[in-house]
Amino acid sequence: MPRPLGELEDAVMTRVWKWNRPVTVREVLEDLQQERSIAYTTVMTVLDNLHQKGWVRREAEGRAYRYEAVSTRAAYAAALMNDAWSQSDNPAAALVAFFGMMSDEQRQALRDAVRIVQGPDTPERREEREEREAPQREDQEAPQEENPGSVVDRGGR
């Protein structure tokens, strides 16, 4: 599991992920300078560190480099969530607490993601799901009482 990015590393990677193309130190610098005062050499050092850590790959272009993300921001977030979850002494409780913090939109995104991971709803999958859910449905169904006013033919009578 990669360790979490520092504040400046995250600011640099945010741009690399957002632009989704090879970027130069100068491009990142100019965008960062809209928010803060920062030196060219600082951005260059951060990108070099990110390269050493495996977050970006670089390709020489003249006397400079172009940097490109090795993975997506989504993959980074997933790795952080997986690491946090795996450190819990009660993973199920951690998930319940996490789901409780989610907005309705996030819960819907989670349902959509589960559907994607599970794949298409084939007849075989439906049958498996129905078999898993059958005991739950039986427990939840109220017993059906016979209507005392009706005539029920039992045993051919």
Side-chain angles (χ1 to χ4, degrees), residues 21-147:
R21 61 174 173 75
V23 299
T24 64
V25 172
R26 175 81 43 211
E27 291 173 308
V28 175
L29 171 72
E30 289 172 358
D31 201 59
L32 282 170
Q33 284 179 331
Q34 294 177 27
E35 299 173 1
R36 63 176 87 190
S37 177
I38 190 165
Y40 180 93
T41 53
T42 302
V43 176
M44 184 174 62
T45 299
V46 170
L47 279 163
D48 186 59
N49 290 342
L50 289 167
H51 176 256
Q52 298 299 322
K53 293 177 181 181
W55 286 104
V56 295
R57 62 179 148 266
R58 67 185 180 192
E59 190 172 314
E61 183 176 279
R63 295 182 347 157
Y65 289 106
R66 282 203 174 265
Y67 295 86
E68 185 174 18
V70 170
S71 66
T72 64
R73 178 157 212 132
Y76 169 66
L80 291 177
M81 288 187 288
N82 185 58
D83 186 55
W85 182 49
S86 67
Q87 292 182 29
S88 173
D89 60 348
N90 187 341
L95 280 176
V96 169
F98 179 64
F99 297 156
M101 294 177 197
M102 295 174 117
S103 68
D104 289 340
E105 294 81 20
Q106 290 170 321
R107 280 192 289 276
Q108 184 58 52
L110 175 64
R111 284 189 286 274
D112 294 344
V114 168
R115 278 190 216 102
I116 290 168
V117 170
Q118 288 176 336
D121 194 19
T122 62
E124 295 82 16
R125 284 189 186 271
R126 279 192 292 276
E127 186 176 309
E128 290 173 8
R129 186 176 60 246
E130 288 168 0
E131 287 175 8
R132 279 193 315 270
E133 294 172 355
Q136 295 171 351
R137 282 196 303 269
E138 289 172 6
D139 292 344
Q140 294 171 352
E141 288 179 5
Q144 295 183 350
E145 296 179 18
E146 291 182 57
N147 183 347

